[in-house]
């Protein structure tokens, strides 16, 4: 049987193989389904589709680099969008009103600190710096120490006037510089936060530069030194023109100002000046050359003081009249402690921790003035300074015995400041009477406030929550409360509602006992006696001596703003130094790291046993 071949030619179909049309149709459909259900593999696809065309990438030629066009466009677009957003944000931030948070207002102690430091600018003698910022002051006493042939100094220009006169007393000036240096060493961060660190360091350097002129500071041994410049002797019928008999601006002084020298009669002054230079050497430790110069001068002065230690009762009549040192051994203790911190030489530590020196300095005494820190009595400060060593370094034997005694005595002094005890009376307004009702009480209260705050900060830094007064435990905050009560009284929280710091608050003394502040700058020159009319006038001072802490009220909280009465209205650099120290200690927020624990120990070596020498070389 033949049929038609669809591909051409005859197609033979066997009868046995013949099927019906229906069967053929069903077979074709099954064949189609089988074909569709099996996918083509890659080879088959390639046969049908032929070779695939590869898409060519486009590039951008940047000269030294060939970059994909796609990446280039994405990068460029991202940059443009980013720049647009940044520009938009900047524009919006400029045109939108700003609401910057106001910086916190400084506390009263910081405000008063700025002013209290200004007082030292008003007390400067010599050629004033351009940035002195006291418009009514000018260069003064530029001939001090000049024209004296054969002396060990070229001049004695500089330093500070002591109070409302124009005398430069080295004894209280040294104490003031030591106290300022101590406050900088402990509270440099607070000074810096207040923006006063550079200022207070300049104030200290003005004093130490002058001290270096008053003895042969380049020598290892000295036999003479200057103790004051100017005179205040005013005997009956005396016609001598000097710094107390004349009421003149320092800029107008035309009389002779003599320098009082001592050869062996002022060991207490030498020891006090040694403390000033030694403490300042730590303040200026970053200025190596100047710091070493101060240390050398301090060691020379201390050597002079100790060599003449039995001559301390023979001071000149005038120096003793105005600034009489009750003891001498407290200055030896004070100066030796500072020299130990400045040099690390254990010879000084061995001296100041000797039982004999402690006894002579009055460490075991119980006088009515025990614990009253001042230019005359350094014992409370020296004991606290050495208590610091025990709290933070604990050197142990053989120093522990006396250091523990100093620590215990310091604790007793702090107890005596508290109102729960009755060692010292208080006025009805709350001012502690450390000088037992005598005039000029504020300087003693400010000093006590500084020591109390510092001891409190020492205990906090040593992780000690308080101290014992007998069987009673008191937290450190009690000391700070005492310090605040005294400084707040000085700043105006008293029955008269008067600030005793000139320029602080709205109500403060206007008739300060001060020659420069009481005479108008416009007055060309007043004669020695002609200037007394300015002292006696009832008008307020034409020049505001900002920051001056006056002598203060009487024991009944009474105060007379009278220029002629220096017991009420005269300020001093020694008093203001204590005020500055107390203000910086109380300023800012209380933290466990209020003090600088380490700077004072920069030169102190470890106090363990010496390292043994290496063994001798071995030989067979």
């Amino acid at each position: 049987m033949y049929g038609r071949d669809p591909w051409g030619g005859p197609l033979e179909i066997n009868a046995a193989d013949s099927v019906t049309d229906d069967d053929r149709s069903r077979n074709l459909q099954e064949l189609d389904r089988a074909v569709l259900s099996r996918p083509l593999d890659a080879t088959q696809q390639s046969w049908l589709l032929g070779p695939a065309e590869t898409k060519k990438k486009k590039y951008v030629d940047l000269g030294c680099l060939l970059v994909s066009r796609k990446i280039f466009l994405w990068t460029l677009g991202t940059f443009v969008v980013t720049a647009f957003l940044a520009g938009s944000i900047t524009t919006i931030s400029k045109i939108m009103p700003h609401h910057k948070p106001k910086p916190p207002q400084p506390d009263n102690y910081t405000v008063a600190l700025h002013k209290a430091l200004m007082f030292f600018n008003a007390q400067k003698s010599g050629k004033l710096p351009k940035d002195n910022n006291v418009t009514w002051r000018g260069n003064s006493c530029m001939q001090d120490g000049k024209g004296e042939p054969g002396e060990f100094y070229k001049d004695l220009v500089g330093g500070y006037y002591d109070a409302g006169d124009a005398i430069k007393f080295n004894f209280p000036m040294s104490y003031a510089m030591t106290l300022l240096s101590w406050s900088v060493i402990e509270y440099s961060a607070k000074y810096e936060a207040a923006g006063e660190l550079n200022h207070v360091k300049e104030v200290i350097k003005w004093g130490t530069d002058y001290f270096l002129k008053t003895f042969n500071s380049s020598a290892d041994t000295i036999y003479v030194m200057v103790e004051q410049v100017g005179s205040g002797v005013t005997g009956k019928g005396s016609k001598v023109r000097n710094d107390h008999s004349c009421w003149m601006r320092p800029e107008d002084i035309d009389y002779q100002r003599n320098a009082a020298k001592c050869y062996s009669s002022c060991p207490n002054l030498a020891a006090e000046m040694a403390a000033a230079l030694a403490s300042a050497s730590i303040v200026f430790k970053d200025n190596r050359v100047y710091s070493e110069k101060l240390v050398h001068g301090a060691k020379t002065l201390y050597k002079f003081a100790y060599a003449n230690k039995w001559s301390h009762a023979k001071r000149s009549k005038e120096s003793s009249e105005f600034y009489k040192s009750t003891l001498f051994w407290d200055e030896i203790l004070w100066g030796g402690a500072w020299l130990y911190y400045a040099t690390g030489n254990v010879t000084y530590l061995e001296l100041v921790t000797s039982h004999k020196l402690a006894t002579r300095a009055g460490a075991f005494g119980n006088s009515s003035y025990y614990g009253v820190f001042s230019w005359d009595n350094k014992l409370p400060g020296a004991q606290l300074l050495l208590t610091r060593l025990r709290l933070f370094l604990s050197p142990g034997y053989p120093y522990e015995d006396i250091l523990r005694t100093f620590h215990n005595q310091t604790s007793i002094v702090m107890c005596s400041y508290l109102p729960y005890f009755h060692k010292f009376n208080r006025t009805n307004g709350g001012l502690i009477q450390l000088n037992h009702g005598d005039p000029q009480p504020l300087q003693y209260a400010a000093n006590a406030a500084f020591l109390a705050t510092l001891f409190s900060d020492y205990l906090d830094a040593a992780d000690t929550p308080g101290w014992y007064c007998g069987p009673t435990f008191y937290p450190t905050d009690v000391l700070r409360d005492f310090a605040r009560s005294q400084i707040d009284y000085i700043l105006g929280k008293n029955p008269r509602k008067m600030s005793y710091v000139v320029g602080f608050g709205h109500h403060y003394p206007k008739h300060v006992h001060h020659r420069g502040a009481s005479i108008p700058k416009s007055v060309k020159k007043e004669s020695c006696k002609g200037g007394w009319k300015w002292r006696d006038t009832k008008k307020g001072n034409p020049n505001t001596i900002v920051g001056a802490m006056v002598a203060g009220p009487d024991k009944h909280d009474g105060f007379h703003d009278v220029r002629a009465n220096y017991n009420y209205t005269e300020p001093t650099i020694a008093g203001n130094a204590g005020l500055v120290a107390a203000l910086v200690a109380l300023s800012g927020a209380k933290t466990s790291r209020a003090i600088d624990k380490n700077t004072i120990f920069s030169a102190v070596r470890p106090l363990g046993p010496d390292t043994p020498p290496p063994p001798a070389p071995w030989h067979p």
Side-chain angles (χ1 to χ4, degrees), residues 95-117:
I95 62 176
M96 290 292 289
H98 294 274
H99 298 285
K100 291 183 178 180
K102 293 182 179 179
Q105 292 295 321
D107 56 81
N108 282 342
Y109 304 126
T110 303
V111 174
L113 174 66
H114 296 310
K115 298 181 182 298
L117 278 170

Side-chain angles (χ1 to χ4, degrees), residues 265-446:
S265 59
C266 54
N268 47 358
L269 169 60
E272 181 61 55
M273 284 180 60
L277 297 184
S279 57
S281 74
I282 303 173
V283 172
F284 296 104
K285 67 183 182 65
D286 293 334
N287 185 344
R288 186 177 61 84
V289 174
Y290 189 64
S291 181
E292 290 177 354
K293 188 175 183 180
L294 294 174
V295 168
H296 182 270
K299 292 193 291 187
T300 300
L301 287 166
Y302 199 76
K303 181 179 178 181
F304 173 82
Y306 205 74
N308 297 285
K309 56 183 175 292
W310 299 113
S311 304
H312 60 88
K314 300 177 182 179
R315 291 188 67 201
S316 71
K317 181 180 179 181
E318 185 166 338
S319 295
S320 298
E321 180 182 350
F322 293 106
Y323 287 100
K324 181 180 180 180
S325 179
T326 305
L327 290 175
F328 154 69
W329 300 102
D330 58 320
E331 276 86 31
I332 288 291
L333 184 64
W334 178 244
W338 278 113
L339 269 166
Y340 170 64
Y341 285 134
T343 65
N345 188 336
V346 293
T347 303
Y348 297 112
L349 181 61
E350 291 168 357
L351 174 64
V352 299
T353 55
S354 69
H355 195 276
K356 184 179 293 186
L357 178 58
T359 302
R360 288 173 174 169
F364 306 103
N366 192 26
S367 71
S368 60
Y369 283 89
Y370 190 82
V372 181
F373 185 43
S374 70
W375 54 264
D376 181 27
N377 182 13
K378 314 307 184 316
L379 178 62
Q383 290 186 145
L384 179 57
L385 190 62
L386 291 169
T387 296
R388 188 192 212 285
L389 180 66
R390 182 174 190 254
L391 284 171
F392 299 126
L393 293 189
S394 188
Y397 180 84
Y399 315 108
E400 171 63 16
D401 184 35
I402 292 298
L403 291 180
R404 183 176 61 250
T405 297
F406 289 152
H407 190 170
N408 291 338
Q409 294 303 110
T410 297
S411 297
I412 291 172
V413 169
M414 297 300 154
C415 296
S416 73
Y417 292 161
L418 302 184
Y420 318 112
F421 303 92
H422 302 286
K423 173 71 179 291
F424 301 104
N425 293 327
R426 281 171 166 72
T427 66
N428 290 334
L431 179 66
I432 190 169
Q433 296 289 286
L434 292 166
N435 60 341
H436 301 288
D438 287 343
Q440 307 175 25
L442 295 187
Q443 59 178 311
Y444 306 102

Side-chain angles (χ1 to χ4, degrees), residues 58-219:
K58 295 182 180 180
Y59 295 91
V60 176
D61 189 354
L62 298 177
C64 60
L65 186 66
L66 201 63
V67 181
S68 168
R69 182 180 179 185
K70 185 175 182 180
I71 295 174
F72 175 75
L73 291 176
W74 270 102
T75 304
L76 181 63
T78 303
F79 177 78
V80 171
V81 171
T82 303
F84 174 76
L85 291 175
S88 301
I89 293 172
T90 303
T91 303
I92 292 172
S93 65
K94 287 183 177 180
I95 62 176
M96 290 292 289
H98 294 274
H99 298 285
K100 291 183 178 180
K102 293 182 179 179
Q105 292 295 321
D107 56 81
N108 282 342
Y109 304 126
T110 303
V111 174
L113 174 66
H114 296 310
K115 298 181 182 298
L117 278 170
M118 281 295 294
F119 173 71
F120 289 91
N121 292 21
Q123 295 300 103
K124 286 178 179 175
S125 177
K127 184 175 176 60
L128 300 183
K130 294 181 179 178
D131 58 350
N132 198 52
N133 295 332
V134 182
T135 58
W136 47 272
R137 282 299 324 279
N139 300 338
S140 60
C141 297
M142 297 295 293
Q143 300 303 312
D144 282 357
K146 294 181 179 179
E148 300 182 22
E151 296 294 348
F152 57 88
Y153 49 81
K154 294 181 179 179
D155 67 75
L156 296 171
V157 177
Y160 290 96
Y161 302 125
D162 174 60
D165 50 31
I167 304 177
K168 295 187 288 193
F169 289 108
N170 284 21
F171 193 56
M173 193 193 308
S174 300
Y175 166 78
M177 295 303 106
T178 307
L179 205 52
L180 290 179
S181 292
W182 194 4
S183 71
V184 172
I185 293 167
E186 303 288 9
Y187 298 109
S188 59
K190 288 191 172 186
Y191 274 114
E192 191 166 13
E196 290 287 359
L197 182 58
N198 291 334
H199 182 198
V200 70
K201 290 174 72 173
E202 186 271 333
V203 166
I204 295 168
K205 191 172 186 297
W206 191 269
T208 54
D209 284 349
Y210 169 73
F211 292 147
L212 292 173
K213 293 181 175 185
T214 61
F215 68 102
N216 188 355
S217 59
S218 62

Side-chain angles (χ1 to χ4, degrees), residues 247 511-513 518 534-535 537 539-541 562-565 569:
W247 193 273
H511 302 79
V512 180
H513 182 96
S518 65
W534 297 107
R535 192 205 71 166
T537 180
K539 293 181 179 179
N541 288 348
V562 179
R563 193 179 296 107
N565 194 331
T569 59

Side-chain angles (χ1 to χ4, degrees), residues 24-77:
R24 187 181 298 111
S25 176
R26 184 169 57 254
N27 290 338
L28 288 175
Q29 289 177 4
E30 290 176 355
L31 179 62
D32 290 341
R33 283 195 299 270
V35 171
L36 293 175
S37 65
R38 183 167 58 90
L40 298 177
D41 57 25
T43 303
Q44 291 172 328
Q45 288 181 12
S46 64
W47 292 343
L48 294 174
L49 301 175
E53 292 185 7
T54 57
K55 187 176 181 180
K56 292 184 179 180
K57 291 185 177 180
K58 295 182 180 180
Y59 295 91
V60 176
D61 189 354
L62 298 177
C64 60
L65 186 66
L66 201 63
V67 181
S68 168
R69 182 180 179 185
K70 185 175 182 180
I71 295 174
F72 175 75
L73 291 176
W74 270 102
T75 304
L76 181 63

